[in-house]
Amino acid sequence: MKLAVGADHAGFDLASSLADWLRGLGHEVVQLGATSTERYDYPDASDLVACHILGGQADLGVLVCGTGIGVSIRANRYPGVRAAECTSTTMAELARGHNHANVLCLGSRILSPDEAKQITARFLESPEDPGDRHVKRVGKLDAERVC
C-alpha cells in the first residue's frame, strides 16, 4: 500500500518511527512535513498529506502532531479527505468502516509508540463498510456545503 506520513515538529519522532515500521511491513511510504524537531507548522504537514491523497500519490495517510487535533482540523478542510483522530484501535476500525477515513491522525503527546503502532495497524487492516447507510453518509461528508 502507498502511504503518506506527515508530521509537525512535535510529531516528527513518532512519525519517523511509524514510517520506518511501515516500510518494514512492506508498505511504500513517503514522509512529508517536518524533517527534524525544529519548528514546523502542522497545517503545512496536513496540506502535503491531503494533496498526496487527493492526487492519487497515496492510498492512505497518517498525520502526527502533539495531540492529533490540529492536523485533523486542517486535513478535513479538503473535500474528499476524511481525517480521523484516533486514540484506540476501536476508533481506528470504526473510522475506516463507518466513515471511510483515509487519513489517520495521532497525537505524539497522547499515545505511546506501541499504542500508535497498534492503532495504525488496525486502521490499515480495516476495510470500508460498503453498506448503503455508510456510503450515503460519506457522500454527505465529501459534499461541499454553504451555510
Side-chain angles (χ1 to χ4, degrees), residues 4-60:
V5 177
D8 70 353
H9 59 280
F12 174 73
D13 288 337
L14 180 58
S16 295
S17 174
L18 287 172
D20 290 343
W21 172 70
L22 290 165
R23 285 184 192 102
L25 294 175
H27 297 287
E28 183 181 327
V29 178
V30 61
Q31 201 165 344
L32 304 164
T35 57
S36 72
T37 57
E38 293 297 314
R39 182 181 165 185
Y40 188 95
D41 294 335
Y42 61 84
D44 298 332
S46 297
D47 291 345
L48 292 169
V49 169
C51 288
H52 269 69
I53 296 293
L54 296 174
Q57 297 152 322
D59 302 310
L60 296 173

